[in-house]
């Protein structure tokens, strides 16, 4: 029997055609649509799929990153997501990381033209919910529980809004 | 068939690409979701095939447009084109054609980007994890007038050395011409 853990860790440099991913993702959305009644439910499904991926990506990224350092600060984990995770999954870092002006616990990852939305012209919900799910999966796995949502703007910009749970903000205050 | 390998490499170098891990993990998330929804292996296998079929009937257009393949003379040539150009263009890997004759062939994959990081738990040991590939082949070939049956006959996840798809030609469909005037 093949044991995934006995095999050497792949280096993560192999690629597949972008359209293979686009076909797969669009088929997933179409399938999910047949299993839900509302756009909210669909969004939730995409998010859940993303969360599972996020958890796995966190583990994979930590195994590859030999520094064996654990992110304990909010800014640290956000930068890890913006750079390491994004590079791993989407090939480049996310366009920007911003802090909400009036809220201490809210942050935003801004993407000018996210890959998952590249070929989607009309969907009943925001498909970047999938990406939001990935971000939530990573954050939860790293013990930074947060609410993560995605917002789309007319100029193809997508903003992933992260609102950390109160205990995370408290912990941050304690260690700073 | 060396020229087909070259064509495959050339096409793959031109298309936009994405990290294969995003693809593997997304595929895994889909399979997991299907298992949750259908709660059993056979229905999941069937649904994976169906989703593949939906992809196949759309994917063939892009394949024909980008790969610029002239029409195949026989079924064995079709097999080679799929193995060396089709698989390469979309999945970045090539397959080996074995047991090929005028009406059937097998495709063997050593590297399967769908199943990276995957291990089948005991209760799902009968899962045809990569069954979507079967559907893709069935859908794509149907669009070029070949009705085939495709099954996953070997899988590295089942302990085999390779992942193998068996394709059997059932019928060459006649192209229907419709006169606009009628």
């Amino acid at each position: 029997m093949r044991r995934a853990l006995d095999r050497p860790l792949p280096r993560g440099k192999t690629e597949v055609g972008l359209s293979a991913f686009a076909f797969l993702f669009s088929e997933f959305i179409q399938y999910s649509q047949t299993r839900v009644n509302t756009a909210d439910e669909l969004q939730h499904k995409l998010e859940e799929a993303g969360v599972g991926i996020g958890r796995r990506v966190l583990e994979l990224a930590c195994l590859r990153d030999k520094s064996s350092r654990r992110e304990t600060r909010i800014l640290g984990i956000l930068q890890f997501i913006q750079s390491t995770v994004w590079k791993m999954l989407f090939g480049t870092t996310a366009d920007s990381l911003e802090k909400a002006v009036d809220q201490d616990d809210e942050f935003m990852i801004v993407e000018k033209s996210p890959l998952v939305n590249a070929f989607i012209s009309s969907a009943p919900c925001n498909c970047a919910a999938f990406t939001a799910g990935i971000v939530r999966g990573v954050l939860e796995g790293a013990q930074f529980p947060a609410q993560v949502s995605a917002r789309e703007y007319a100029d193809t910009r997508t903003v992933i809004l992260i609102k950390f749970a109160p205990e995370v903000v408290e912990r941050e205050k304690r260690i700073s | 068939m060396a020229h087909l390998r070259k064509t495959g490499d050339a096409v793959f170098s031109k298309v936009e690409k994405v990290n294969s891990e995003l693809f593997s993990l997304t595929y895994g998330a889909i399979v997991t979701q299907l298992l949750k929804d259908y709660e059993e292996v056979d229905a999941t296998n069937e649904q994976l095939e169906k989703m593949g079929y939906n992809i196949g009937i759309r994917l063939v257009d892009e394949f024909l447009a980008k790969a610029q393949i002239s029409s195949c003379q026989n079924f064995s040539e079709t097999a080679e084109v799929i193995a060396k150009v089709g698989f390469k263009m979309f999945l970045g890997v090539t397959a080996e054609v074995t047991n090929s004759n005028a009406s059937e062939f097998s495709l063997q994959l050593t590297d399967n980007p769908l199943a990276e990081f995957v291990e089948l738990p005991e209760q799902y040991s009968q899962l045809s994890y990569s069954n979507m590939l079967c559907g893709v082949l069935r859908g794509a070939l149907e669009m070029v007038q070949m009705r085939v049956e495709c099954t996953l006959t070997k899988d590295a996840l089942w302990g085999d050395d390779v992942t193998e798809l068996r394709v059997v030609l059932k019928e060459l469909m006649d192209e229907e011409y419709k006169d606009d005037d009628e």
Side-chain angles (χ1 to χ4, degrees):
Chain A
M1 220 40 209
R2 186 178 104 146
R3 292 268 169 252
L5 291 180
D6 291 340
R7 303 168 67 228
L9 193 68
R11 289 176 56 238
K13 301 278 181 233
T14 53
E15 290 180 310
V16 299
L18 174 59
S19 48
F21 173 76
F23 278 123
L24 183 69
F25 190 60
S26 112
E27 190 55 35
F28 179 49
I29 294 171
Q30 287 176 51
Y31 163 77
S32 303
Q33 257 182 290
T34 64
R35 311 282 303 191
V36 298
N37 295 317
T38 64
D40 275 355
E41 278 175 46
L42 179 62
Q43 197 150 328
H44 183 72
K45 278 235 159 175
L46 294 180
E47 221 179 287
E48 283 307 309
V51 171
I53 294 175
R55 280 198 209 112
R56 288 167 174 81
V57 166
L58 173 67
E59 187 181 349
L60 191 58
C62 289
L63 283 170
R64 277 202 190 119
D65 178 30
K66 304 235 165 43
S67 70
S68 66
R69 206 165 53 88
R70 185 177 157 188
E71 297 295 348
T72 52
R73 304 297 296 268
I74 284 180
L75 215 54
I77 191 72
L78 287 174
Q79 274 162 355
F80 171 80
I81 292 174
Q82 186 208 2
S83 60
T84 313
V85 171
W86 236 257
K87 255 191 226 160
M88 229 172 104
L89 293 177
F90 307 120
T92 56
T93 55
D95 292 318
S96 72
L97 174 64
E98 291 163 22
K99 188 179 169 307
V101 185
D102 45 354
Q103 302 285 344
D104 264 357
D105 56 351
E106 280 184 20
F107 293 82
M108 291 165 284
I109 293 175
V110 183
E111 275 261 75
K112 286 195 187 108
S113 48
L115 185 94
V116 296
N117 289 12
F119 299 100
I120 299 171
S121 50
S122 69
C125 80
N126 182 359
C127 298
F130 179 72
T131 321
I134 295 180
V135 172
R136 179 154 72 87
V138 175
L139 287 174
E140 278 176 3
Q143 307 300 322
F144 286 84
Q147 287 174 350
V148 184
S149 56
R151 275 192 211 144
E152 254 172 354
Y153 293 90
D155 53 353
T156 76
R157 214 160 43 106
T158 292
V159 174
I160 306 221
L161 187 67
I162 302 159
K163 188 177 172 61
F164 285 102
E167 65 261 34
V168 176
V169 183
E170 232 166 74
R171 181 179 66 201
E172 181 79 8
K173 279 189 192 135
R174 222 172 32 238
I175 45 185
S176 61
Chain B
M1 291 298 158
H3 71 283
L4 282 180
R5 197 174 275 275
K6 246 187 220 163
T7 313
D9 288 346
V11 176
F12 188 62
S13 72
K14 265 187 268 171
V15 296
E16 274 191 86
K17 287 175 273 291
V18 62
N19 186 297
S20 69
E21 283 167 357
L22 174 67
F23 181 76
S24 314
L25 291 168
T26 307
Y27 187 72
I30 295 173
V31 178
T32 319
Q33 186 61 52
L34 292 188
L35 280 170
K36 267 188 215 153
D37 290 348
Y38 288 96
E39 297 173 345
E40 57 118 8
V41 168
D42 289 344
T44 304
N45 287 342
E46 203 179 299
Q47 179 62 27
L48 280 172
E49 206 272 350
K50 218 184 275 173
M51 291 169 79
Y53 175 82
N54 294 340
I55 293 176
I57 56 178
R58 296 194 289 144
L59 162 148
V60 71
D61 276 339
E62 184 176 346
F63 174 70
L64 293 175
K66 287 195 178 150
Q68 313 230 318
I69 296 280
S70 51
S71 61
C72 299
Q73 299 306 310
N74 52 49
F75 203 50
S76 307
E77 196 185 335
T78 308
E80 291 293 340
V81 167
I82 294 172
K84 299 294 182 289
V85 188
F87 270 82
K88 184 76 189 181
M89 174 170 159
F90 291 103
L91 296 179
V93 295
T94 56
E96 287 305 318
V97 179
T98 56
N99 300 320
S100 155
N101 61 41
S103 65
E104 45 193 298
F105 59 81
S106 297
L107 296 172
Q108 295 190 337
L109 285 171
T110 325
D111 292 314
N112 178 4
L114 273 68
E116 192 69 69
F117 310 119
V118 178
E119 210 172 274
L120 295 180
E122 214 167 302
Q123 76 265 38
Y124 297 132
S125 60
Q126 298 304 308
L127 181 71
S128 299
Y129 187 85
S130 302
N131 222 22
M132 195 178 275
L133 290 179
C134 294
V136 171
L137 288 180
R138 182 167 69 89
L141 286 172
E142 194 174 296
M143 289 295 116
V144 287
Q145 270 64 50
M146 283 177 255
R147 203 169 62 76
V148 301
E149 251 175 41
C150 182
T151 39
L152 193 68
T153 40
K154 285 183 191 168
D155 195 332
L157 301 180
W158 296 333
D160 297 310
D161 296 337
V162 290
T163 301
E164 185 183 79
L165 308 162
R166 184 83 184 143
V167 182
V168 180
L169 181 64
K170 288 292 169 189
E171 184 191 359
L172 282 172
M173 298 182 288
D174 285 329
E175 216 156 340
E176 280 175 42
Y177 294 103
K178 285 208 182 97
D179 208 323
D180 283 346
D181 295 338
E182 280 175 36

